[in-house]
Amino acid sequence: MAAPKKGRSASAQSKPGRSLALILIAIVALTAGMFASGHRTPRLGIDLAGGTSITLEAVNEPGQPNAINKTNMDTAVDIMNRRVNGLGVSEAEVQTQGDRNIIVNIPKGTNSEEARQQVGTTAKLYFRPVIQREATTGAATPTPSASPSGSASPGAGSASPSASGSAKAQDKVSGSSASPSAGATSQGRAVTDALKADASPSVSSSPKAAGSPSPAASGSADPSAAAAAKQYATLDCNDPKQRAVAGRNVKTGETTVACGKDGKVWSKFLLGPVDVSGTEIKKAQATLNTQGAGGWQVDMTFDSSGAKKFADVTAKLAQRTTPQNEFAIVLDDEVVSHPYVQTAITGGNAYISGSFTQKEAQSLANMLSYGALPLTFKEQSVTTVTAALGGEQLRAGLLAGAIGLALVVLYLVIYYRGLSLVAMASLLVSAILTYVIMSLLGPAIGFALNLPAVCGAIVAIGITADSFIVYFERIRDEIREGRTLRPAVERAWPRARRTILVSDFVSFLAAAVLFIVTVGKVQGFAFTLGLTTVLDVVVVFLFTKPLMTLLARRKFFADGHKWSGLDPKSLGAQPPLRRTRRPAGPAAGPADPKEA
Amino acid sequence: MSKLGNLGARLHRGEISYDFVGKRKIWYGVSILITITAILGLAVRGLNMGIEFQGGAVFTTPVKMSTSVAQAEVFAKDASGHEAIVQKLGNGSLRIQIAGIDTGKSDQIKTKLAQDLKLNPEKLAADLVGPSWGEQIANKAWEGLGIFMVLVVIYLAIAFEWRMAIAALVALIHDITITTGIYALVGFEVTPGTVIGLLTILGYSLYDTVVVFDSLKEQTKDITKQTRFTYSDIANQSINGTLVRSINTTVVALLPVAGLLFIGGGFLGAGTLNDISLSLFVGLAAGAYSSIFIATPLVADLKEREPAMKALRKRVLAKRAQAAVGEDLADARGTAGDESDDNAPAVVGPRNQPVSRNRGRGRTSGKRR
């Protein structure tokens, strides 16, 4: 009798111990990470901590006197909002002020430099064919590039020659018929040796059309071509003044000049009319290419008209030789990259890879996704602002929350007695995990906490407590059926678990849908809700249940001590009970609960 | 505790129960009344939208202001009758934003504000600000809400059944209507905090309903194989069985929110805290109410229309009639007939053997099966 019992409990014992160890290790690791990262508190939103306020003024463009109107301003607000709130959790606020200003408020602790670039950039993006280019440091000696061999993807990328042999990773443009995500990039593009400087000109493995290339500009009936060529001859891209005006206000159908940076060196470009415009990009995202040379890249998906144009252009360019087989990606009149094309890229997907850092790639993808601003803005002022609500609101909120929690604890103690220890320990674990994760998410994804989110977190604690109450009531029901504690704990779990999972799934569904669909503050809220829901499940599964299993072995609980909250007598359990020896009497009966 | 535990036990065993389902007409009536009041409140008073939704005026003072932010808040409220957002800028000037002001009123407020701040009105720059929570954010939020409701109905229809999904949705709409209606009646300003409070309720209200439904589903698994209870009876037992849990969870969720509303609000008077906690408080209370008084009776109502359930009801009533006849006979013989209704296991009398010899016998104690 005793031996099998021991064996059974031993096998069950390893389990709760393991789960508890796991969650405790996780807490310790996360907390250590929090202290190590130096972000010991969650970042607070503007309403609680203030931040930076940027005022932008719309600038009249020549030839467009009526561009600054309410519609365009509202569109600009929307686009800026999405740019600064890429993930929707950073609590930045964008609003119009007067007829031509836009105020952008960014919470403390955000990189305001980066934000200023993000909101102020017009992000007009065009793909233009390269006619000529020249590095400003004397002769352009194109670095050779080996083209990928045996590539599986149609239109595999090849490295564009970059001038001056700088150690810049070269830009490639590639197409893929698959989705423009990691899948597309894993199609076995060979690692090229393109990064090695080599004096021989580029050799491409695909047969090129013979014959010398003719500049696109020659013979075209484009009146702007001659003017642009003249400009190109005298342009010095090392001069910031010249850079600033190069290619400004050129119509999309004209030939133009532009500057661009290859590594550390400025190059000048003579570019043909726009083939595809950034507005024809449906979606762009930054992905990490683990194949080939690796590094960050921007995947683009064109809409149907963009895809068709892009295919036509790349087919045309693939027939030419350097540099006319390149197209320049021009963002706000500056060439950000000029990859060369080997074969026509069909399917409407392409990616730009180059020497992007993660931030650059994400910021570019962000701008391409949300489109160009309809207006040009100039920064009017940048100033710090204090908290919109003042610290006393947060203090009062936290104090009130603490008092409310104390009441919750008091209630649990009165009602659940010994069991409330389990509840309190679980609540504590939840609270620590929530706090630590929120603190870590500040630097990780720009997560900022505003007052509504603080209140939401306090309410979430109540929802977490809900899960234990479901479980505790189940255990007590089992005890009322006449079971002893240990089987009651185990039998109650599967049923309680299902209830907890179904209900939490509903909460999580709400969080997921709102996070995907909405923008701005609602998205931030959805994130918080999703986080607390997941933590609720984690804590109940890895902490509350194992702890209960362990406690069920303690004499205090197992024997149903009066203060354990599991006293079968006070729960009105149905006899028989192992321990109780009732006095024989007519009154002793289950139908008469008075005697308990 | 002992008393409460007993109450729980008796509820669990169905010894005492309150007829929630049978009195459903009353609850429906109460809810319809509150909902009509809420809708009237919305229609007549409307919602008082904050600056984040409707824009307003912004006043910027010159630099080197000696007035504190708190003082400026008071002045702004005096001048406009609205809550104002006051921020100090890096150069020491104040930015005062006030909701819902048109150009005509703006001049009047500007003059008053300048007087309070001891400034020449010329020096107080006034401008209109647009909403930071623009139409697009609002539209997306509605869209998200719509998609969520469709998905949740589909999910509940799969996890439970379509009648429960409908009932849960009705309860949810009921909670949201009541909360927004009370907002309109109280006249608090609607801030992003309010909206977020409402969305929190959304999850919580469903959570509560789902817990009751889960127990209902469990208890009605083999309902057609017995002839003692109708669906409504079992639905009622489910509510009563989960009543203790419902009360506990509601108390535990409401306590912190009540703290925010009454203590936090009491400290500071009206403010964002109040906006959020009011919507949470009303919504949580409505959510708890609807999960017990609306959602489950509604499921019972819908279920009772099913042919299978109608047939069951017939059988049950027929059996009860028969039992009543039998009971009369039994009463004549002097035995308590209603004992047969008790599902409890037979009473095991006291034993006089030593406890150790008694182990594992009679009823299973979980050690030996």
Side-chain angles (χ1 to χ4, degrees):
Chain A
M1 181 75 214
K5 203 178 86 176
K6 260 191 190 140
R8 237 173 56 178
S9 59
S11 68
Q13 204 158 17
S14 59
K15 263 188 159 172
R18 262 215 304 266
S19 308
L20 285 173
L22 185 72
I23 198 159
L24 289 175
I25 288 168
I27 290 175
V28 170
L30 283 170
T31 313
M34 178 176 86
F35 281 109
S37 73
H39 298 272
R40 287 173 204 179
T41 49
R43 273 186 40 212
L44 297 174
I46 302 168
D47 54 353
L48 299 174
T52 309
S53 178
I54 304 165
T55 310
L56 298 159
E57 188 184 6
V59 184
N60 262 324
E61 301 252 353
Q64 296 172 304
N66 301 325
I68 301 176
N69 55 33
K70 192 174 179 318
T71 315
N72 275 349
M73 288 295 279
D74 286 347
T75 310
V77 165
D78 275 346
I79 290 172
M80 285 184 192
N81 206 342
R82 283 196 271 179
R83 284 187 193 173
V84 285
N85 259 331
L87 266 171
V89 292
S90 67
E91 291 299 321
E93 291 167 352
V94 184
Q95 59 191 132
T96 57
Q97 177 176 338
D99 299 332
R100 45 192 318 147
N101 289 349
I102 289 184
I103 308 178
V104 182
N105 294 318
I106 301 156
K108 215 180 229 155
T110 316
N111 181 342
S112 59
E113 270 309 306
E114 208 176 291
R116 281 160 67 179
Q117 277 172 7
Q118 288 249 322
V119 292
T121 313
T122 314
K124 283 191 174 136
L125 178 102
Y126 297 115
F127 295 84
R128 288 174 178 265
V130 175
I131 300 168
Q132 273 181 292
R133 73 183 153 76
E134 192 184 321
T136 45
T137 51
T141 43
T143 330
S145 69
S147 58
S149 54
S151 135
S153 67
S158 25
S160 78
S162 85
S164 76
S166 68
K168 167 185 183 287
Q170 287 151 338
D171 298 347
K172 301 167 184 157
V173 64
S174 294
S176 65
S177 41
S179 72
S181 60
T185 61
S186 59
Q187 295 190 7
R189 281 189 304 118
V191 181
T192 67
D193 293 333
L195 307 188
K196 289 189 188 137
D198 188 337
S200 66
S202 142
V203 182
S204 158
S205 61
S206 70
K208 283 253 163 55
S212 62
S214 58
S218 75
S220 71
D222 181 3
S224 63
K230 209 181 286 173
Q231 251 186 311
Y232 177 74
T234 57
L235 181 66
D236 177 13
C237 279
N238 276 348
D239 177 3
K241 279 204 197 87
Q242 287 200 36
R243 274 211 303 270
V245 295
R248 282 295 126 100
N249 304 328
V250 176
K251 291 200 171 61
T252 52
E254 293 177 348
T255 306
T256 181
V257 293
C259 295
K261 224 173 174 176
D262 271 331
K264 291 190 166 57
V265 187
W266 285 97
S267 292
K268 58 178 179 177
F269 296 80
L270 180 61
L271 304 169
V274 170
D275 286 315
V276 189
S277 123
T279 52
E280 290 169 304
I281 293 174
K282 198 162 57 180
K283 202 177 90 181
Q285 61 185 125
T287 54
L288 183 60
N289 179 7
T290 50
Q291 300 285 317
W296 284 90
Q297 61 184 35
V298 180
D299 293 334
M300 300 174 291
T301 311
F302 292 98
D303 60 16
S304 54
S305 74
K308 192 180 168 311
K309 285 185 202 165
F310 196 68
D312 293 348
V313 173
T314 47
K316 199 167 62 188
L317 293 179
Q319 307 301 318
R320 302 180 185 159
T321 56
T322 310
Q324 276 137 33
N325 60 355
E326 297 171 9
F327 63 80
I329 299 172
V330 189
L331 180 71
D332 289 344
D333 309 323
E334 199 172 283
V335 176
V336 287
S337 94
H338 51 102
Y340 87 58
V341 185
Q342 239 189 319
T343 45
I345 297 172
T346 52
N349 294 320
Y351 55 89
I352 313 169
S353 65
S355 55
F356 291 120
T357 62
Q358 179 180 354
K359 278 223 162 81
E360 282 169 349
Q362 275 165 348
S363 148
L364 180 59
N366 205 342
M367 288 179 196
L368 295 183
S369 291
Y370 302 136
L373 294 176
L375 302 164
T376 311
F377 287 88
K378 77 167 196 281
E379 207 171 85
Q380 223 188 22
S381 70
V382 177
T383 171
T384 56
V385 286
T386 54
L389 292 176
E392 75 271 18
Q393 288 270 359
L394 177 64
R395 268 200 302 279
L398 289 177
L399 182 67
I403 293 170
L405 270 181
L407 290 173
V408 168
V409 167
L410 190 69
Y411 182 83
L412 287 173
V413 169
I414 291 170
Y415 193 86
Y416 286 115
R417 298 200 178 176
L419 273 185
S420 63
L421 292 175
V422 181
M424 281 187 262
S426 304
L427 283 177
L428 190 70
V429 168
S430 274
I432 292 173
L433 277 174
T434 309
Y435 182 87
V436 170
I437 288 176
M438 281 181 175
S439 304
L440 284 171
L441 284 175
I445 59 168
F447 178 80
L449 203 58
N450 57 8
L451 190 64
V454 174
C455 296
I458 291 170
V459 173
I461 290 170
I463 295 176
T464 309
D466 209 350
S467 301
F468 332 138
I469 291 173
V470 168
Y471 184 34
F472 291 166
E473 285 299 323
R474 279 276 191 218
I475 293 174
R476 295 172 85 163
D477 283 350
E478 295 289 339
I479 288 175
R480 287 177 185 134
E481 301 280 343
R483 290 193 177 82
T484 50
L485 183 61
R486 227 190 281 176
V489 164
E490 298 310 321
R491 276 183 58 100
W493 176 238
R495 296 161 69 189
R497 182 178 57 197
R498 197 191 59 197
T499 309
I500 292 168
L501 282 178
V502 170
S503 332
D504 272 335
F505 180 82
V506 169
S507 291
F508 191 77
L509 187 71
V513 170
L514 290 175
F515 186 77
I516 292 164
V517 175
T518 60
V519 290
K521 280 199 166 127
V522 184
Q523 204 176 20
F525 157 77
F527 185 86
T528 313
L529 179 68
L531 179 72
T532 48
T533 308
V534 170
L535 282 178
D536 177 24
V537 174
V538 167
V539 169
V540 170
F541 272 65
L542 294 181
F543 188 81
T544 312
K545 162 69 177 61
L547 189 64
M548 211 50 236
T549 308
L550 285 180
L551 286 181
R553 302 200 186 115
R554 315 267 343 155
K555 201 167 168 344
F556 176 78
F557 286 97
D559 288 354
H561 186 279
K562 195 155 56 100
W563 280 99
S564 68
L566 290 165
D567 179 8
K569 270 206 288 187
S570 57
L571 290 178
Q574 300 284 20
L577 294 163
R578 286 182 305 134
R579 301 163 26 259
T580 47
R581 296 187 54 190
R582 292 160 190 262
D592 184 14
K594 283 275 189 291
E595 50 98 43
Chain B
M1 157 81 207
S2 161
K3 262 190 176 154
L4 276 171
N6 252 318
L7 184 71
R10 297 172 68 186
L11 282 167
H12 176 72
R13 285 201 295 271
E15 283 168 19
I16 44 171
S17 71
Y18 186 81
D19 192 2
F20 290 102
V21 176
K23 299 199 169 119
R24 61 183 179 272
K25 294 276 190 302
I26 300 175
W27 321 133
Y28 293 169
V30 168
S31 276
I32 288 168
L33 208 66
I34 299 176
T35 311
I36 288 173
T37 314
I39 290 171
L40 277 178
L42 281 170
V44 176
R45 293 195 51 156
L47 285 172
N48 179 5
M49 298 306 258
I51 191 165
E52 294 87 350
F53 298 98
Q54 58 169 4
V58 59
F59 301 96
T60 315
T61 67
V63 295
K64 291 199 200 115
M65 286 293 298
S66 56
T67 320
S68 75
V69 170
Q71 272 175 310
E73 273 174 4
V74 176
F75 292 151
K77 193 166 177 178
D78 282 350
S80 69
H82 284 278
E83 289 295 319
I85 299 172
V86 180
Q87 291 170 294
K88 215 182 192 81
L89 303 182
N91 57 13
S93 66
L94 293 173
R95 177 191 284 177
I96 302 165
Q97 297 189 52
I98 301 170
I101 294 173
D102 49 31
T103 327
K105 236 176 133 185
S106 162
D107 288 341
Q108 199 184 323
I109 291 170
K110 180 177 162 177
T111 318
K112 174 98 177 65
L113 197 59
Q115 205 180 324
D116 286 341
L117 294 167
K118 300 183 180 62
L119 282 173
N120 177 355
E122 304 287 302
K123 291 211 169 124
L124 189 65
D127 215 336
L128 291 178
V129 281
S132 63
W133 184 302
E135 230 167 280
Q136 200 210 4
I137 300 183
N139 290 345
K140 290 267 182 204
W142 283 116
E143 192 185 324
L145 209 59
I147 294 175
F148 166 70
M149 284 189 177
V150 171
L151 286 179
V152 94
V153 165
I154 293 170
Y155 171 71
L156 291 178
I158 294 168
F160 301 116
E161 58 170 312
W162 66 264
R163 292 174 189 80
M164 291 189 180
I166 299 287
L169 190 68
V170 169
L172 182 66
I173 292 168
H174 162 271
D175 300 343
I176 290 181
T177 314
I178 286 181
T179 312
T180 42
I182 287 196
Y183 241 81
L185 289 172
V186 175
F188 276 8
E189 211 161 80
V190 177
T191 60
T194 317
V195 176
I196 281 164
L198 262 180
L199 291 170
T200 309
I201 291 160
L202 190 96
Y204 192 82
S205 158
L206 278 166
Y207 189 108
D208 242 16
T209 310
V210 164
V211 172
V212 182
F213 281 0
D214 197 53
S215 130
L216 182 59
K217 182 188 171 187
E218 197 178 307
Q219 297 199 21
T220 54
K221 226 173 10 206
D222 298 324
I223 188 164
T224 47
K225 292 178 187 160
Q226 49 87 50
T227 50
R228 293 183 53 204
F229 301 112
T230 61
Y231 192 94
S232 296
D233 296 339
I234 297 209
N236 212 29
Q237 281 171 23
S238 278
I239 300 178
N240 280 293
T242 51
L243 194 61
V244 174
R245 185 219 66 93
S246 297
I247 292 169
N248 282 353
T249 53
T250 308
V251 168
V252 165
L254 274 180
L255 281 175
V257 178
L260 286 177
L261 181 62
F262 299 114
I263 304 168
F267 261 129
L268 298 163
T272 313
L273 265 184
N274 257 0
D275 294 344
I276 304 165
S277 47
L278 179 74
S279 67
L280 283 173
F281 189 85
V282 175
L284 289 177
Y289 173 85
S290 68
S291 73
I292 296 171
F293 295 86
I294 303 294
T296 315
L298 202 61
V299 172
D301 252 351
L302 290 168
K303 274 301 258 200
E304 290 286 7
R305 289 170 199 192
E306 245 184 284
M309 293 300 139
K310 274 188 183 154
L312 174 71
R313 174 169 279 270
K314 262 200 190 122
R315 287 204 300 276
V316 172
L317 292 178
K319 191 176 173 213
R320 279 185 195 169
Q322 213 182 341
V325 174
E327 213 166 283
D328 288 345
L329 293 173
D331 276 349
R333 280 204 302 269
T335 47
D338 56 354
E339 279 296 305
S340 66
D341 243 17
D342 206 340
N343 213 5
V347 181
V348 182
R351 294 194 188 85
N352 296 325
Q353 300 109 318
V355 174
S356 58
R357 302 256 317 262
N358 196 20
R359 282 194 164 181
R361 241 193 261 159
R363 286 180 47 110
T364 51
S365 63
K367 281 203 286 295
R368 272 196 196 174
R369 291 270 162 93

